[in-house]
């Protein structure tokens, strides 16, 4: 078990180095130097050159990259040039607060809708309810989230006036409802289908026949015997979806004007804010890699057959 | 569920993330993971005179109502896209003076936009970009994914380990940066950005499936026989392994087209797609964003077109999975 975790952690080191390398290359391939963007269109060539010198942009790229890596392993993400030299780490901590709340809200919504829907569907496969639920989830999977957001704003924000349609206030749950539904809709659809499929799988097992032979009610058989066994694959789906939800949702954040990580990255790119861009990407990839690792470990932990192997 | 594989949900899901959040696309994601929904198939006939596997698969495919619906929708969309100059009632770039912001009515069946341009005509031209980018980006991903997967699966050893770490890296990389980076280098918005960005980032799932299939097939007797006969490696890969590894890849690719159409719409929505007078569905939604609460038709119909097209590709993909009898095809992990 520990050997497995150590091996996986070791494997993710080259992945993370690769991510920083590619992003460093892209960031520096962007036309327009940060010095120009910082000083505005009226700056003279000498001023731009002096600023570039000060920012360390005139050194050879490999040196800049190694210097960045050196600071990174010490946990130093540098300062943001576009945001008054604030440390990148404190900007990201602030954004992460929003992104984490949004991701958790989205996953809560997805689980509340998806899992019960999947259970209900599996009661009577190919029945009316099943066909309706599976049809709805298929459409959910095919719907662009930003369009769903527009429809939700139209119905709940403009026609019914139930919920705020944009912005973010710390501590206000109402501001997170529509973004969470938008972001969680696809996960809900995926979960509903996964739940249904894995329960139907489990229903064919011997222990279900045993439970029925003991005279347990169908619901009890389903909830106490089939669902716990069927929930293992769901954990993997929930975990890896959560990882993707965390790492920013540019469109949801844009449509609802939420100050999260995805939007920060998007704006940093346009401001040519190298440190902020790289910081966003590093944090996103670390979360992504670690969350996927955590899912695998949890999976092994919950499934005794894998634990021993 | 293979434990060391790591990722579980469909690949497109994560691409979606890359392009704007878990929200951008969606895709095929789901459709990939779920159990098949068809009646138990009959045993294929064997022996001389039996139909070829491809013909048999095709026959199973056209018995699947969802897949037939999907193919009909795609054919209709494709026709509308190809024949847009002939079929569209108005031009896509010139508004009709005095006809701004009209709701759906005879003549303007889906209404007009802020500049008096016919929404239906613009959607027909928009179908060109959606379909072309969706299919071309998937083709690019296929070429990369198949090459990487075959190489890694057949060579094993160091090369395999390196290629798989590269695959993990691309998988963990936020695709939005790639898209915006390409956009900035191209200096003006264009559908090429979406094509390159989606194609370069969407191949990781295909590579993993191909690798797994290749590893399985590399030990098969007929491959060993071919090696013993001295058949060159490239020929073994091309003639003996690739055709047999193709079924799950085809299912994934079909689902990926839908995912890429969603990705293209998302990038256009962010202003990285087609440039203004030329319409794309995502771009039309972006234009409608500020006014659709009043002029709902500008925001509703292009969105419906996206949903319908992606739905069609997903239904074909599901049908293909059943027809090719791919177990859990498209969701390798």
């Amino acid at each position: 078990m520990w050997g497995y975790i150590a091996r996986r952690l070791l494997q993710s080191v080259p992945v993370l180095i690769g991510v920083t390398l590619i992003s460093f290359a892209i960031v520096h391939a962007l036309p327009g130097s940060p010095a120009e963007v910082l000083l505005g269109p009226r700056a003279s060539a000498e001023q731009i050159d002096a600023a570039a010198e000060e920012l360390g942009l005139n050194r050879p790229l490999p040196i800049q990259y190694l210097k960045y890596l050196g600071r990174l392993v010490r946990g130093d993400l540098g300062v943001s040039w576009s945001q008054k030299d604030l440390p990148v780490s404190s900007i990201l901590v602030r954004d992460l607060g929003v992104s984490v709340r949004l991701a958790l809200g989205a996953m809560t919504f997805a689980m509340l809708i998806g899992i019960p829907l999947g259970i209900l569907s599996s009661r009577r496969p190919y029945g009316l309810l099943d066909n309706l639920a599976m049809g709805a989830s298929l459409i959910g999977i095919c719907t662009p989230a930003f369009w769903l957001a527009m429809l939700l704003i139209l119905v709940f924000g403009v026609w019914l006036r139930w919920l705020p349609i944009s912005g973010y206030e710390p501590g206000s749950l109402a501001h997170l409802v529509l973004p969470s539904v938008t972001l969680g809709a696809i996960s809900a659809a995926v979960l509903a289908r996964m739940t249904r499929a894995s329960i139907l799988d489990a229903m064919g097992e011997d222990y279900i026949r045993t439970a029925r032979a003991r005279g347990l009610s169908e619901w009890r058989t389903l909830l106490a015997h089939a669902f716990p066994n069927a929930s293992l694959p769901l954990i993997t789906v929930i975990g890896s979806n959560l990882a993707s939800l965390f790492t920013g949702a540019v469109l949801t954040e844009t449509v609802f004007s939420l100050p999260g990580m995805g939007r920060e990255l998007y704006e940093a790119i346009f401001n040519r804010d190298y440190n902020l861009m790289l910081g966003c990407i590093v944090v996103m990839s670390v979360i992504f890699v670690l969350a996927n690792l955590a899912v695998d470990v949890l999976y092994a932990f919950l499934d005794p057959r894998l634990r021993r192997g | 569920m293979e434990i060391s594989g790591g990722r579980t949900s469909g690949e497109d899901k994560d691409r979606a993330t890359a392009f704007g959040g878990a929200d951008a696309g969606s895709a095929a994601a789901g459709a990939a993971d779920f159990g098949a929904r068809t009646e138990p198939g009959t045993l294929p006939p064997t022996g001389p005179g039996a139909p070829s596997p491809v013909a048999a698969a095709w026959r199973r495919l056209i018995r699947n109502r969802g897949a037939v619906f999907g193919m009909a929708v795609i054919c209709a969309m494709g026709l509308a896209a190809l024949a847009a100059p002939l079929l569209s009632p108005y031009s896509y770039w010139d508004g009709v003076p005095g006809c701004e912001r009209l709701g759906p009515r005879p003549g303007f069946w889906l209404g007009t936009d802020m500049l008096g341009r016919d929404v239906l005509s613009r959607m027909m031209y928009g179908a060109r970009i959606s379909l072309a980018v969706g299919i071309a980006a998937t083709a690019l991903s296929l070429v990369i994914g198949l090459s990487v997967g075959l190489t890694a699966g057949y060579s094993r050893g160091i090369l395999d380990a390196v290629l798989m770490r590269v695959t993990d890296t691309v998988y963990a990389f936020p695709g939005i940066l790639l898209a915006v980076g390409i956009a900035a280098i191209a200096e003006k918005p264009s559908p090429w950005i979406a094509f390159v960005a989606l194609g370069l980032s969407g191949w990781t799932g295909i590579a993993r499936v191909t690798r797994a299939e290749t590893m399985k097939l590399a030990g098969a007797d007929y491959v060993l026989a071919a090696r013993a006969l001295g058949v060159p490696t490239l020929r073994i890969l091309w003639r003996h392994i690739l055709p047999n590894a193709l079924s799950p890849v085809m299912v994934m690719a079909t689902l990926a087209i839908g995912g890429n159409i969603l990705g293209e719409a998302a990038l256009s929505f962010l202003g990285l797609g087609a440039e203004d007078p030329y319409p794309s569905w995502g771009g039309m939604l972006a234009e409608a964003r500020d006014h659709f609460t009043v002029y709902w038709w500008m925001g509703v119909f292009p969105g419906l077109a996206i949903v319908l097209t992606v739905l069609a590709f997903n239904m074909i993909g599901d049908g293909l999975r059943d027809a090719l009898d791919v177990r859990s095809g498209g969701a390798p992990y």
Side-chain angles (χ1 to χ4, degrees):
Chain A
M1 188 80 226
W2 290 107
Y4 170 70
I5 298 179
R7 204 173 64 240
R8 283 291 304 275
L9 276 175
L10 216 60
Q11 278 182 355
S12 37
V13 171
V15 169
L16 291 174
I17 293 178
V19 168
T20 56
L21 189 61
I22 300 180
S23 24
F24 202 82
I26 295 183
V27 161
H28 283 268
L30 294 176
S33 128
E36 283 172 36
V37 178
L38 262 180
L39 297 175
R42 289 209 199 145
S44 68
E46 290 87 51
Q47 282 174 308
I48 290 176
D49 205 49
E53 187 66 44
E54 203 192 312
L55 296 174
L57 295 169
N58 290 345
R59 281 182 224 138
L61 273 189
I63 305 279
Q64 289 189 42
Y65 176 65
L66 289 178
K67 274 198 171 303
Y68 184 81
L69 270 192
R71 281 189 286 129
L72 186 64
V73 291
R74 278 176 276 142
D76 179 9
L77 292 171
V79 294
S80 157
W81 300 329
S82 64
Q83 298 190 24
K84 301 177 192 120
D85 286 346
L86 270 170
V88 168
S89 49
S90 64
I91 296 176
L92 290 183
V93 166
R94 192 189 60 203
D95 295 340
L96 256 182
V98 180
S99 285
V100 166
R101 283 189 185 92
L102 180 59
L104 290 180
M107 192 39 81
T108 311
F109 169 77
M111 287 165 70
L112 283 180
I113 299 290
I115 294 178
L117 207 60
I119 293 178
L120 284 177
S121 281
S122 70
R123 283 295 294 121
R124 219 176 279 266
Y126 306 107
L128 179 66
L129 185 67
D130 181 34
N131 282 336
L132 281 180
M134 288 305 110
S137 74
L138 185 57
I139 290 173
I141 287 166
C142 301
T143 305
F146 55 91
W147 188 58
L148 178 64
M150 287 166 68
L151 296 181
L152 287 173
I153 288 174
L154 186 62
V155 174
F156 294 101
V158 179
W159 288 349
L160 299 174
R161 295 185 182 280
W162 285 354
L163 291 162
I165 55 174
S166 86
Y168 176 73
E169 280 167 29
S172 157
L173 274 180
H175 280 90
L176 282 175
V177 174
L178 291 185
S180 299
V181 172
T182 304
L183 190 58
I186 289 155
S187 300
V190 173
L191 267 182
R193 307 198 124 218
M194 268 309 269
T195 308
R196 174 187 181 277
S198 49
I199 286 185
L200 286 182
D201 245 14
M203 288 306 259
E205 299 285 336
D206 287 342
Y207 57 81
I208 296 297
R209 198 175 48 191
T210 311
R212 283 183 177 143
R214 280 166 58 209
L216 295 188
S217 74
E218 269 302 291
W219 273 110
R220 178 131 194 213
T221 313
L222 184 76
L223 293 179
H225 294 265
F227 184 68
N229 288 291
S231 59
L232 272 178
L234 297 187
I235 289 170
T236 329
V237 176
I238 292 170
S240 60
N241 270 1
L242 201 55
S244 344
L245 298 181
F246 266 132
T247 54
V250 180
L251 287 168
T252 306
E253 287 169 8
T254 306
V255 175
F256 290 103
S257 314
L258 290 175
M261 282 248 286
R263 240 183 103 202
E264 196 73 76
L265 173 60
Y266 193 70
E267 280 163 15
I269 294 172
F270 282 105
N271 291 328
R272 300 289 185 274
D273 192 337
Y274 289 1
N275 282 337
L276 190 52
M277 265 188 260
L278 292 170
C280 281
I281 296 163
V282 167
V283 171
M284 283 180 179
S285 327
V286 168
I287 293 179
F288 193 81
V289 168
L290 288 186
N292 276 302
L293 172 63
V295 170
D296 288 346
V297 172
L298 186 67
Y299 198 86
F301 183 72
L302 289 174
D303 190 337
R305 286 169 305 187
L306 294 176
R307 201 183 315 163
R308 227 167 287 143
Chain B
M1 268 321 143
E2 161 193 309
I3 168 161
S4 56
R7 285 85 198 213
T8 305
S9 69
E11 192 71 13
D12 300 301
K13 171 84 193 164
D14 303 285
R15 274 310 112 206
T17 311
F19 282 103
D23 44 6
S26 61
D33 294 60
F34 330 119
R37 276 166 65 85
T38 35
E39 310 79 74
T42 46
L43 279 176
T46 47
S52 76
V54 175
W58 172 252
R59 214 173 296 162
R60 282 195 295 272
L61 186 64
I62 56 172
R63 268 204 305 249
N64 182 318
R65 266 184 293 171
V68 171
F69 167 79
M71 288 189 282
V73 169
I74 300 304
C75 286
M77 291 282 179
L79 192 69
L82 285 175
L86 300 174
L87 294 177
S88 70
Y90 295 90
S91 90
Y92 66 80
W93 54 274
D94 222 0
V96 182
C99 292
E100 292 87 3
R101 300 178 292 275
L102 293 180
R105 66 193 62 207
F108 297 105
W109 297 101
L110 301 182
T112 63
D113 69 3
M114 300 303 288
L115 302 172
R117 300 176 296 193
D118 180 42
V119 171
L120 176 63
S121 303
R122 286 175 65 74
M123 277 170 58
M124 290 170 83
Y125 280 93
R128 295 178 154 198
I129 290 189
S130 286
L131 291 176
V133 171
I135 292 169
T138 307
L140 180 58
S141 296
L142 264 179
V143 171
I144 305 176
L146 283 174
S147 315
V148 171
L150 283 171
T151 313
Y154 198 71
S155 65
R156 316 249 175 138
I158 300 275
L159 187 57
D160 177 31
V162 170
L163 283 175
M164 282 302 105
R165 290 297 82 74
V166 171
T167 308
D168 285 349
T169 306
V170 174
Y171 180 54
F173 192 79
I176 180 88
L177 177 75
L178 191 64
V180 179
I182 296 169
I185 294 165
E187 287 189 343
K188 65 175 195 173
S190 133
W192 287 97
I193 295 164
F195 158 66
V196 177
L198 293 166
L200 285 186
S201 51
W203 54 269
T204 56
I206 294 171
R208 285 219 190 86
V209 182
T210 312
R211 171 175 174 266
E213 292 288 309
T214 307
M215 285 173 118
K216 213 162 54 190
L217 294 169
D221 287 344
Y222 67 89
V223 173
L224 294 179
R227 282 173 68 177
L229 286 171
V231 178
T233 306
L234 270 180
R235 194 175 158 82
I236 292 181
L237 287 175
W238 183 252
R239 286 293 301 273
H240 297 281
I241 293 187
L242 183 62
N244 291 298
L246 219 46
S247 293
V249 174
M250 277 170 63
V251 175
M252 275 192 98
T254 314
L255 298 171
I257 297 177
N260 282 333
I261 289 177
L262 286 171
E264 191 279 328
L267 291 178
S268 295
F269 188 74
L270 289 175
L272 303 174
E275 216 176 358
D276 180 40
Y278 201 89
S280 73
W281 293 341
M284 292 175 77
L285 289 178
E287 284 163 30
R289 195 183 145 198
D290 295 331
H291 329 286
F292 77 101
T293 49
V294 187
Y295 314 113
W296 55 270
W297 56 91
M298 298 179 198
V300 167
F301 294 121
L304 280 178
I306 298 174
V307 174
L308 191 62
T309 311
V310 178
L311 189 69
F313 277 112
N314 274 359
M315 287 179 134
I316 299 175
D318 281 349
L320 263 184
R321 173 175 35 230
D322 297 344
L324 297 170
D325 194 25
V326 179
R327 283 201 64 75
S328 81
Y333 315 105

